[in-house]
């Protein structure tokens, strides 16, 4: 019997799709949702399922930004063949994404037992939601929002890419929240910070999904729930991406800050009352 039913997969896929790219922590929301549905968050099949359905959200990014991705990848291949093309920003950016992914891969592999063990606690999620909201608020207030996507540098990519480690180690901090906050601290405008977060998340999250696939299938997650959860994640994530880019063009991140605080405090209350098992 599958550790996750098809109905539960629909719910979890929707939660993943909505929260993967919003700075509110998809991992935290998945763990909370799993807890409310009495799904064991530390079960190997559940951990694998959560990683695999992220591929649906990543596929949504690939489709939504397909023109940008084709442009960047094409520039990278041209640069490999032509010295002149190596001065193009897209060629450099492609390498920056590759380099910026290395830190999270190294930490992810080295700290896997810790990440899937003690740090998977909902107490950690609650605390990270609150602390991360403070970081996001400070970054949005202090950032001068004066640099666009074309102004990004190797330093920007490495700092923003490395910040993904915070979300990896502390579920609830939010990968999107960490990367967007770091980009804002580097004075990128909100749209540039959001787009950079998307691009840097593609290799890291895709790699995590592929790495976990064999474990998810081999520990009882079930092929049908995985397929359904991934498909729902794709559809919902696509809509979420479109909405977020329009939202950040005209609004601050304060709504997300407040939401994270409310969820974090509520989660602490539910854990303390014994309604949820950490």
């Amino acid at each position: 019997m599958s550790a996750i039913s098809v109905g539960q997969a629909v719910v979890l896929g929707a939660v993943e799709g909505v929260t993967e790219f919003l700075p509110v922590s998809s991992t935290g929301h998945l763990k909370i949702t799993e807890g409310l549905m009495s799904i064991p968050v530390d079960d190997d099949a559940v951990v694998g399922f959560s990683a695999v359905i992220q591929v649906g959200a990543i596929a949504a990014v690939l489709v939504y930004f397909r023109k940008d991705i084709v442009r960047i990848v094409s520039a990278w291949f041209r640069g490999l063949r032509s010295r002149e093309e190596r001065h193009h920003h897209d060629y450099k950016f492609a390498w920056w994404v590759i380099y910026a992914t290395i830190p999270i891969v190294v930490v992810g592999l080295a700290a896997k037992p810790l990440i899937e063990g003690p740090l998977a606690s909902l107490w950690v999620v609650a605390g990270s939601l609150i602390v991360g909201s403070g970081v996001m608020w400070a970054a949005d207030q202090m950032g001068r929002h004066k640099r666009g996507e074309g102004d990004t540098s190797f330093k920007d990519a490495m700092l923003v890419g490395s910040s993904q480690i915070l979300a990896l180690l502390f579920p609830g901090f939010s990968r999107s929240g960490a990367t967007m906050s770091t980009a804002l601290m580097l004075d990128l405008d909100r749209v540039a910070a959001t787009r950079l977060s998307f691009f840097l998340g593609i290799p890291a999250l895709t790699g995590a999904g592929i790495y976990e696939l064999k474990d998810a299938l081999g520990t009882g997650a079930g092929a049908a729930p995985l397929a359904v959860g991934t498909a729902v994640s794709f559809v919902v994530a696509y809509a979420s991406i479109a909405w977020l880019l329009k939202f950040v063009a005209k609004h601050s991140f304060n709504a997300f800050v407040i939401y994270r605080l409310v969820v974090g405090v509520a989660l602490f209350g539910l854990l303390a009352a014994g309604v949820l098992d950490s």
Side-chain angles (χ1 to χ4, degrees), residues 20 61 80 124 172 186 235 266:
E20 181 59 60
V61 174
L80 293 178
V124 176
L186 294 170
V235 173

Side-chain angles (χ1 to χ4, degrees), residues 8 15 21 35 47 53 73 94 129 132 148 160 167 213 252 259 270:
Q8 291 172 329
V15 171
F21 300 110
V47 172
I53 62 173
V73 172
L129 278 166
V160 174
L213 181 58
S252 72
Y259 174 80
L270 292 172

Side-chain angles (χ1 to χ4, degrees), residues 14-277:
V15 171
E16 165 64 25
V18 169
T19 61
E20 181 59 60
F21 300 110
L22 301 186
V24 296
S25 176
S26 62
T27 301
H29 279 73
L30 282 173
K31 289 184 179 296
I32 293 170
T33 305
E34 289 162 359
L36 291 173
M37 292 193 296
S38 299
I39 298 173
V41 298
D42 57 349
D43 185 286
D44 288 343
V46 176
V47 172
F49 176 88
S50 298
V52 172
I53 62 173
Q54 287 180 333
V55 176
I58 291 301
V61 174
L62 294 175
V63 173
Y64 192 91
F65 292 107
R66 59 191 179 279
K67 293 182 180 178
D68 298 281
I69 294 171
V70 169
R71 188 189 75 243
I72 293 168
V73 172
S74 297
W76 186 71
F77 278 111
R78 288 198 304 272
L80 293 178
R81 299 191 303 268
S82 169
R83 185 181 298 273
E84 291 183 2
E85 292 291 337
R86 295 173 193 171
H87 298 290
H88 198 285
H89 184 271
D90 286 339
Y91 171 79
K92 296 177 182 177
F93 185 76
W95 276 114
W96 297 346
V97 171
I98 294 172
Y99 293 143
T101 303
I102 294 174
I104 192 172
V105 171
V106 172
V107 173
L109 292 175
K112 191 172 188 288
L114 188 63
I115 294 168
E116 296 180 355
L119 293 179
S121 168
L122 286 177
W123 289 104
V124 176
V125 172
S128 299
L129 278 166
I130 294 172
V131 172
S133 67
V135 173
M136 184 182 299
W137 179 84
D140 202 18
Q141 295 299 311
M142 294 188 302
R144 289 179 288 179
H145 314 292
K146 67 176 184 178
R147 300 172 58 207
E149 188 175 346
D151 299 320
T152 53
S153 65
F154 173 69
K155 176 184 175 182
D156 295 329
M158 288 303 297
L159 289 174
V160 174
S162 296
S163 71
Q164 295 178 106
I165 294 172
L166 286 171
L168 183 67
L169 295 176
F170 305 105
F173 202 95
S174 169
R175 187 202 64 80
S176 295
T179 52
M180 291 177 190
S181 295
T182 302
L184 290 172
M185 290 179 184
L186 294 170
D187 294 330
L188 270 69
D189 63 49
R190 295 186 181 99
V191 173
T194 302
R195 284 174 59 87
L196 183 58
S197 174
F198 287 148
F199 290 127
L200 288 174
I202 291 172
L205 294 177
T206 301
I210 294 173
Y211 181 80
E212 294 285 356
L213 181 58
K214 65 181 188 304
D215 294 331
L217 290 173
T219 54
L226 279 172
V228 171
T230 302
V232 172
S233 173
F234 170 82
V235 173
V236 177
Y238 190 92
S240 179
I241 293 167
W243 176 84
L244 180 61
L245 286 171
K246 292 180 180 179
F247 181 85
V248 298
K250 299 180 180 179
H251 302 85
S252 72
F253 285 90
N254 287 343
F256 299 116
V257 171
I258 295 171
Y259 174 80
R260 290 171 59 104
L261 284 172
V262 171
V263 173
V265 171
L267 182 54
F268 268 129
L270 292 172
L271 289 168
V275 176
L276 286 178
D277 186 358

